[in-house]
Amino acid sequence: MIRPILHYPDPRLRQAAEPVAQVDDDVRKLVDDMAETMYAAPGVGLAAPQIGEGKRIFIMDVAKEDEPSDLRVFINPEIVERHGEIAWEEGCLSFPGAREEITRAERIRVRALDRDGKTFEMVFEGLAAVAVQHENDHLDGKLMIDHLSLIRRRLLHREMSKIAASKRRETKDDVAAE
Ligand code: NI
């Protein structure tokens, strides 16, 4: 099921997510919804808090258009090593239309549970490393805007608040028209 994606400045995006106690069918159902939602958007990553689920889960698929899909599921992830630096122009499904250059670690090692509840450890580089760090931030209520300079932060906040306000007006008009 495709779920609605929360947009900044929705306060639910700021809440730290809770660890998953057990990877069961409910968790797998949530992962399936997340995948459907991410591919429909389309996006290369999605964290559970972005659909209002306060659980430490994110998914990503950074396969290129001409490559087969490569869905990866991270439950209770932990970044255990970070090396180097890379600047990448990032987007986020919770910041529609925004692109911002952000500097993060170039190579990371992650430990997490997969959709079967099995622990795995993997090294990621470049775009995949950036995506993992971006999505992992969401689990702590941290957003791409927090990585920007004060001026960029203010501009992006204003832009997103404007979009959110006009969406609220549209919804109100829809309700009034009924
Ligand atoms: Ni994001």
Side-chain angles (χ1 to χ4, degrees), residues 3 20 22 26 55-56 70 79-80 84 91 96 102 107 111 130 137 155:
R3 309 270 291 262
V20 173
Q22 200 189 343
D26 287 344
K55 299 201 169 73
R56 301 192 77 81
D70 181 24
I79 298 176
V80 293
I102 293 169
R107 193 157 57 89
R111 191 181 299 146
V130 167
D137 270 0
L155 284 171

Side-chain angles (χ1 to χ4, degrees), residues 50 91-94 134-135 138:
Q50 290 182 276
C92 178
L93 293 175
S94 295
H134 176 117
E135 299 311 328
H138 275 297

Side-chain angles (χ1 to χ4, degrees), residues 53-119:
E53 299 277 354
K55 299 201 169 73
R56 301 192 77 81
I57 304 172
F58 69 79
I59 58 170
M60 74 167 189
D61 186 343
V62 294
K64 295 192 186 78
E65 266 173 56
D66 55 344
E67 291 172 353
S69 64
D70 181 24
L71 181 67
R72 291 177 189 274
V73 178
F74 301 79
I75 300 170
N76 297 345
E78 231 183 306
I79 298 176
V80 293
E81 272 176 43
R82 299 168 194 262
H83 304 279
E85 256 188 17
I86 186 174
W88 203 283
E89 200 175 82
E90 298 183 20
C92 178
L93 293 175
S94 295
F95 289 80
R99 305 290 302 174
E100 296 286 346
E101 191 177 274
I102 293 169
T103 302
R104 299 185 189 267
E106 200 275 327
R107 193 157 57 89
I108 55 162
R109 178 185 290 273
V110 191
R111 191 181 299 146
L113 303 176
D114 64 16
R115 61 173 287 142
D116 299 315
K118 269 201 298 214
T119 303

Side-chain angles (χ1 to χ4, degrees), residues 1-177:
M1 190 175 62
I2 296 177
R3 309 270 291 262
I5 295 174
L6 305 182
H7 291 164
Y8 179 89
D10 192 305
R12 285 170 288 179
L13 292 169
R14 286 303 192 185
Q15 286 162 12
E18 295 289 331
V20 173
Q22 200 189 343
V23 182
D24 53 16
D25 286 344
D26 287 344
V27 168
R28 279 185 281 273
K29 174 78 185 64
L30 173 58
V31 167
D32 290 345
D33 281 358
M34 287 171 65
E36 220 179 308
T37 304
M38 179 184 77
Y39 287 124
V44 298
L46 185 73
Q50 290 182 276
I51 57 167
E53 299 277 354
K55 299 201 169 73
R56 301 192 77 81
I57 304 172
F58 69 79
I59 58 170
M60 74 167 189
D61 186 343
V62 294
K64 295 192 186 78
E65 266 173 56
D66 55 344
E67 291 172 353
S69 64
D70 181 24
L71 181 67
R72 291 177 189 274
V73 178
F74 301 79
I75 300 170
N76 297 345
E78 231 183 306
I79 298 176
V80 293
E81 272 176 43
R82 299 168 194 262
H83 304 279
E85 256 188 17
I86 186 174
W88 203 283
E89 200 175 82
E90 298 183 20
C92 178
L93 293 175
S94 295
F95 289 80
R99 305 290 302 174
E100 296 286 346
E101 191 177 274
I102 293 169
T103 302
R104 299 185 189 267
E106 200 275 327
R107 193 157 57 89
I108 55 162
R109 178 185 290 273
V110 191
R111 191 181 299 146
L113 303 176
D114 64 16
R115 61 173 287 142
D116 299 315
K118 269 201 298 214
T119 303
F120 68 95
E121 231 182 79
M122 240 177 134
V123 172
F124 294 97
E125 290 181 343
L127 170 60
V130 167
V132 166
Q133 291 169 86
H134 176 117
E135 299 311 328
N136 194 61
D137 270 0
H138 275 297
L139 307 184
D140 295 321
K142 194 167 181 189
L143 302 170
M144 63 185 260
I145 195 166
D146 305 328
H147 291 273
L148 305 180
S149 69
L150 189 58
I151 291 171
R152 288 299 314 158
R153 218 181 298 166
R154 281 200 183 137
L155 284 171
L156 186 57
H157 175 79
R158 202 178 302 164
E159 214 175 294
M160 291 297 132
S161 302
K162 232 188 269 171
I163 293 173
S166 77
K167 242 194 353 206
R168 274 199 299 277
R169 269 198 303 278
E170 266 171 41
T171 321
K172 238 194 265 165
D173 291 346
D174 287 349
V175 172

